[in-house]
Each structure stands twice: as C-alpha cells, then as structure tokens.
Amino acid sequence: MKSRDKIDVGHSAPQGVEGASTILVRHCHGIEEFESCVSLERAVWKSADIDLVPVPLFVVAAETGGQVLGAFQGQDLIGFTMAVAGWRNHKPFLHSHMTAVSDAHRDRGIGRLLKSFQRDDALARGISLVEWTFDPLATKNAYFNFMRLGAFARRYIPNAYGITTSPLHASLPTDRLIAEWHLRSPRVCRALAGKQPDPAIGKKAVRISVPKTLEALRAADPAKAARMQSEIRAQFTHWFAKKYAAIAVASTPAGLDYILEPAGQKEV
Ligand SMILES: CC(C)(COP(=O)(O)OP(=O)(O)OC[C@H]1O[C@@H](n2cnc3c(N)ncnc32)[C@H](O)[C@@H]1OP(=O)(O)O)[C@@H](O)C(=O)NCCC(=O)NCCS
C-alpha cells in the first residue's frame, strides 16, 4: 500500500463506476471533456503539438465504435483512456491508443479502474479483445499490463511511431510490444481478481532482462540507452520468431525480467 489511498476497483458497470473514494469512471462526452483529455495528454507526454492526438480524433474514436473513458474527481478529469475500433481475425477489437493518469493520482488503482471499465464496456458490446502498444523499456507499464491486467505480448514493432518529441520517449526509436488483452481469458480473470495471471511458469521459459538503470540512461547517455534498446529488441524478435510469448514479468535486483514461454503450449 502506498502513502496515498487505494481506490477500490470492485465491480464496474458500463454506465459508470464509482470507487471507494470520489473517483468516477465513465464515458467522456462533448468537446469540453475531450479538450480535458488533450490537456492531460499534454501534461503526461509533454509532446510538441505535432505529436499530440487532437480533439477531432477523440470525437472520431467516440463516434465510430471506439471509446473515450475518463476518471473524474468531481469535475476534474484525472485520467483517461482512448481506444479506436479495429478488425482482427474477422472480429471487431479495440485498439487502446492512450491511457494516462495524472502524476498526482498514480499508483492508487485508477489506471486499473479505467482498464476494468474499458473491459466491461467492450464485453457489453460483444468485443473480447483489446490491444495496445507499450514501450518494453517502461518497466512499470510492463508490470501493470502483464501482472495487474493479465495481458501478454507476442509481437514487437521496432520504431512504431518514429522518433517523437515526447521526453517520455527520450529521442529513442519508439519500439513497442503489442499487449493483447483477451478479456474473457482465465489469465485476465485471475489478474483482475488480484491473483497471479500465470501460476505455473514452465521449464522452457526464457527471460529477457531490462536493467533498472536504463530509465536514467535515456537522459544521461542516450547512445548507450539506444545500444541496450537494440540488444533487447534483438532478443524479443528472436524469441517471438520462435513463437514464444511474453507472459509475465519479475523484479530482480538488477531491474526487471520479462518471462517468455512457447505460446503454443500456454494458455494465452
Ligand atoms: C500506466 C498508467 C496509466 C498506470 O496508471 P496508475 O493509476 O498509476 O495504475 P495503477 O495504480 O492501477 O497500477 C499501477 C501499478 O504499478 C505499480 N508500480 C508503480 N511504479 C512501479 C515501478 N516503477 N515498477 C513496477 N511497478 C510499479 C503500482 O504499485 C501499481 O501496482 P499495484 O496495484 O500492485 O500496487 C500511468 O502510470 C501513466 O499515466 N503513465 C504515463 C503514460 C503511459 O505510459 N501510458 C501507458 C502507455 S499508453
């Protein structure tokens, strides 16, 4: 438990859900609320205008079968998630392009509350897959995606968005893992119930290590950070080509290990 209060995720309903404190997660409506999302996006990613997802795209997402969901404290938007509708393997799915919680409200379960509502809303519309990309070097996000949500990854896109202006990306190639969130899968249900999504890691598991010094290196020594990134990229692409999937992460004294298993033998 952190110094800040945890929000009780509890069960969420597609219409809106209130946590134990005063946080309400619901659909965003209207230009003003979409503008609040863009303000939060600006505060979190600190990108130049050219890299911002603008208000019209929030309108498009909301009007074309995607989602714009907000976490509100009173009138204030303190978190949002935005997804566009897509089509994968002959079925509709959601591509969740951005999820952000304002710095002051992190690590209280609000990200999880947003994703939980996203899941309920998708399931209520007959959608059972949500995907999103994330930076494999962002170890907190990896923990959140794999261990708290039960997502897994078996695809890697080198420099997915090109080099951006966001200091979060530190001028490195925007390599991304694709998180697959199969909403009805046992691993997702286990993770959302606060259990280990993968209770039994098999003997064929391999690990890819991300040193904890890497975050700091991005600013201090970008060339070295880029070399480490390309080593990590080579390992992911090697194992994904062999049909392994990244299914969990584990903290180590040196940083964080991704745990990969042969996807065919694993419930994913
Ligand atoms: C990713 C993000 C949305 C998560 O929101 P959040 O409200 O902090 O999420 P939660 O509180 O529900 O869960 C975060 C978990 O990560 C854990 N965590 C925090 N810092 C961590 C770290 N350095 N390493 C590992 N885990 C960490 C928290 O303890 C919490 O786990 P717990 O529930 O077991 O305690 C938020 O961090 C964010 O806005 N990040 C910047 C934008 C971004 O990168 N978005 C994702 C890609 S689009």
Side-chain angles (χ1 to χ4, degrees):
M1 180 71 75
K2 315 293 170 310
S3 53
R4 301 176 193 130
D5 287 337
K6 272 272 196 232
I7 307 299
D8 177 15
V9 173
H11 178 74
S12 51
Q15 291 78 20
V17 59
E18 203 155 5
S21 89
T22 54
I23 311 300
L24 175 73
V25 173
R26 61 165 173 81
H27 288 271
C28 292
H29 302 287
I31 301 296
E32 264 183 36
E33 291 190 354
F34 297 152
E35 282 171 350
S36 299
C37 293
V38 175
S39 299
L40 186 51
E41 176 194 353
R42 204 185 276 279
V44 168
W45 278 278
K46 300 181 177 64
S47 304
D49 286 357
I50 185 94
D51 287 321
L52 278 181
V53 175
V55 166
L57 270 180
F58 283 80
V59 177
V60 168
E63 294 295 328
T64 58
Q67 292 170 325
V68 182
L69 309 177
F72 292 86
Q73 187 167 50
Q75 300 297 311
D76 299 333
L77 182 96
I78 57 165
F80 75 92
T81 187
M82 183 265 228
V84 291
W87 192 249
R88 168 111 41 235
N89 296 330
H90 313 287
K91 288 184 190 155
F93 81 108
L94 292 174
H95 179 82
S96 184
H97 182 51
M98 289 187 299
T99 301
V101 171
S102 74
D103 207 26
H105 294 92
R106 297 222 182 127
D107 302 330
R108 296 171 58 199
I110 295 168
R112 199 154 161 256
L113 198 59
L114 277 162
K115 296 302 276 187
S116 195
F117 185 86
Q118 176 175 66
R119 175 176 181 266
D120 285 358
D121 180 70
L123 287 173
R125 293 195 277 137
I127 297 172
S128 56
L129 172 65
V130 180
E131 295 186 353
W132 60 91
T133 63
F134 73 100
D135 180 353
L137 310 184
T139 52
K140 175 186 169 180
N141 289 2
Y143 169 84
F144 179 66
N145 293 335
F146 289 92
M147 309 312 287
R148 305 305 281 152
L149 299 179
F152 70 91
R154 54 186 161 182
R155 285 173 283 159
Y156 191 100
I157 311 178
N159 201 21
Y161 306 113
I163 309 273
T164 79
T165 54
S166 170
L168 283 191
H169 304 154
S171 299
L172 286 183
T174 48
D175 285 23
R176 293 291 179 267
L177 286 167
I178 299 176
E180 293 180 37
W181 205 28
H182 292 267
L183 303 180
R184 291 189 194 281
S185 67
R187 53 179 291 114
V188 169
C189 297
R190 278 196 295 269
L192 293 179
K195 298 179 188 153
Q196 280 282 335
D198 274 280
I201 304 290
K203 286 192 183 128
K204 289 191 172 167
V206 296
R207 287 178 175 240
I208 296 176
S209 301
V210 177
K212 60 181 160 203
T213 49
L214 197 48
E215 287 284 335
L217 261 188
R218 288 195 205 221
D221 190 345
K224 191 168 178 191
R227 279 197 300 280
M228 289 168 94
Q229 182 193 46
S230 74
E231 283 162 22
I232 289 165
R233 176 192 307 151
Q235 293 180 61
F236 273 113
T237 49
H238 170 82
W239 288 109
F240 287 172
K242 290 182 178 295
K243 305 277 182 233
Y244 276 62
I247 49 134
V249 294
S251 294
T252 66
L256 175 125
D257 280 0
Y258 284 89
I259 300 171
L260 293 84
E261 288 211 315
Q265 295 170 25
K266 196 73 198 158
E267 165 211 278
V268 289

PDB file of all heavy atoms in Angstrom, residues 196-202 247 261 266:
ATOM      1  N   GLN A 196      -2.079 -14.185  -9.353  1.00  0.00           N
ATOM      2  CA  GLN A 196      -1.030 -14.335 -10.373  1.00  0.00           C
ATOM      3  C   GLN A 196      -1.670 -14.762 -11.686  1.00  0.00           C
ATOM      4  O   GLN A 196      -2.346 -15.814 -11.712  1.00  0.00           O
ATOM      5  CB  GLN A 196      -0.072 -15.460  -9.956  1.00  0.00           C
ATOM      6  CG  GLN A 196       0.960 -15.082  -8.937  1.00  0.00           C
ATOM      7  CD  GLN A 196       2.099 -14.306  -9.560  1.00  0.00           C
ATOM      8  OE1 GLN A 196       2.368 -14.428 -10.749  1.00  0.00           O
ATOM      9  NE2 GLN A 196       2.753 -13.489  -8.769  1.00  0.00           N
ATOM     10  N   PRO A 197      -1.498 -14.022 -12.801  1.00  0.00           N
ATOM     11  CA  PRO A 197      -2.103 -14.476 -14.051  1.00  0.00           C
ATOM     12  C   PRO A 197      -1.544 -15.809 -14.531  1.00  0.00           C
ATOM     13  O   PRO A 197      -2.256 -16.599 -15.133  1.00  0.00           O
ATOM     14  CB  PRO A 197      -1.779 -13.353 -15.046  1.00  0.00           C
ATOM     15  CG  PRO A 197      -0.830 -12.439 -14.373  1.00  0.00           C
ATOM     16  CD  PRO A 197      -0.832 -12.732 -12.907  1.00  0.00           C
ATOM     17  N   ASP A 198      -0.246 -16.085 -14.229  1.00  0.00           N
ATOM     18  CA  ASP A 198       0.375 -17.344 -14.655  1.00  0.00           C
ATOM     19  C   ASP A 198       0.952 -18.065 -13.461  1.00  0.00           C
ATOM     20  O   ASP A 198       2.120 -17.923 -13.141  1.00  0.00           O
ATOM     21  CB  ASP A 198       1.503 -17.066 -15.663  1.00  0.00           C
ATOM     22  CG  ASP A 198       0.956 -16.980 -17.043  1.00  0.00           C
ATOM     23  OD1 ASP A 198       0.713 -18.026 -17.644  1.00  0.00           O
ATOM     24  OD2 ASP A 198       0.725 -15.850 -17.488  1.00  0.00           O
ATOM     25  N   PRO A 199       0.127 -18.877 -12.783  1.00  0.00           N
ATOM     26  CA  PRO A 199       0.625 -19.507 -11.563  1.00  0.00           C
ATOM     27  C   PRO A 199       1.787 -20.467 -11.808  1.00  0.00           C
ATOM     28  O   PRO A 199       2.636 -20.626 -10.946  1.00  0.00           O
ATOM     29  CB  PRO A 199      -0.587 -20.243 -11.006  1.00  0.00           C
ATOM     30  CG  PRO A 199      -1.690 -20.063 -11.968  1.00  0.00           C
ATOM     31  CD  PRO A 199      -1.259 -19.202 -13.099  1.00  0.00           C
ATOM     32  N   ALA A 200       1.845 -21.104 -12.980  1.00  0.00           N
ATOM     33  CA  ALA A 200       2.906 -22.099 -13.208  1.00  0.00           C
ATOM     34  C   ALA A 200       3.725 -21.727 -14.436  1.00  0.00           C
ATOM     35  O   ALA A 200       3.237 -21.821 -15.558  1.00  0.00           O
ATOM     36  CB  ALA A 200       2.276 -23.474 -13.398  1.00  0.00           C
ATOM     37  N   ILE A 201       4.947 -21.289 -14.204  1.00  0.00           N
ATOM     38  CA  ILE A 201       5.842 -20.981 -15.330  1.00  0.00           C
ATOM     39  C   ILE A 201       6.571 -22.275 -15.701  1.00  0.00           C
ATOM     40  O   ILE A 201       7.155 -22.932 -14.839  1.00  0.00           O
ATOM     41  CB  ILE A 201       6.863 -19.879 -14.934  1.00  0.00           C
ATOM     42  CG1 ILE A 201       6.139 -18.607 -14.436  1.00  0.00           C
ATOM     43  CG2 ILE A 201       7.810 -19.582 -16.089  1.00  0.00           C
ATOM     44  CD1 ILE A 201       5.399 -17.813 -15.453  1.00  0.00           C
ATOM     45  N   GLY A 202       6.540 -22.635 -16.991  1.00  0.00           N
ATOM     46  CA  GLY A 202       7.088 -23.922 -17.427  1.00  0.00           C
ATOM     47  C   GLY A 202       8.613 -23.946 -17.508  1.00  0.00           C
ATOM     48  O   GLY A 202       9.281 -22.916 -17.374  1.00  0.00           O
ATOM     49  N   ILE A 247       4.749 -13.411 -21.130  1.00  0.00           N
ATOM     50  CA  ILE A 247       3.509 -13.648 -20.359  1.00  0.00           C
ATOM     51  C   ILE A 247       3.567 -13.085 -18.944  1.00  0.00           C
ATOM     52  O   ILE A 247       2.549 -13.063 -18.251  1.00  0.00           O
ATOM     53  CB  ILE A 247       3.194 -15.160 -20.279  1.00  0.00           C
ATOM     54  CG1 ILE A 247       4.440 -15.938 -19.855  1.00  0.00           C
ATOM     55  CG2 ILE A 247       2.679 -15.702 -21.607  1.00  0.00           C
ATOM     56  CD1 ILE A 247       4.138 -16.941 -18.799  1.00  0.00           C
ATOM     57  N   GLU A 261       7.354 -17.748 -22.764  1.00  0.00           N
ATOM     58  CA  GLU A 261       7.122 -19.196 -22.887  1.00  0.00           C
ATOM     59  C   GLU A 261       6.661 -19.512 -24.298  1.00  0.00           C
ATOM     60  O   GLU A 261       6.097 -18.630 -24.970  1.00  0.00           O
ATOM     61  CB  GLU A 261       6.034 -19.638 -21.918  1.00  0.00           C
ATOM     62  CG  GLU A 261       6.470 -19.633 -20.481  1.00  0.00           C
ATOM     63  CD  GLU A 261       5.749 -20.700 -19.675  1.00  0.00           C
ATOM     64  OE1 GLU A 261       4.534 -20.828 -19.835  1.00  0.00           O
ATOM     65  OE2 GLU A 261       6.421 -21.410 -18.923  1.00  0.00           O
ATOM     66  N   LYS A 266       0.908 -22.774 -24.090  1.00  0.00           N
ATOM     67  CA  LYS A 266       0.494 -21.961 -22.969  1.00  0.00           C
ATOM     68  C   LYS A 266      -0.910 -21.466 -23.172  1.00  0.00           C
ATOM     69  O   LYS A 266      -1.316 -21.171 -24.295  1.00  0.00           O
ATOM     70  CB  LYS A 266       1.458 -20.773 -22.892  1.00  0.00           C
ATOM     71  CG  LYS A 266       1.442 -20.030 -21.612  1.00  0.00           C
ATOM     72  CD  LYS A 266       2.091 -20.811 -20.509  1.00  0.00           C
ATOM     73  CE  LYS A 266       1.659 -20.212 -19.190  1.00  0.00           C
ATOM     74  NZ  LYS A 266       1.794 -21.133 -18.101  1.00  0.00           N
TER      75      LYS A 266
END
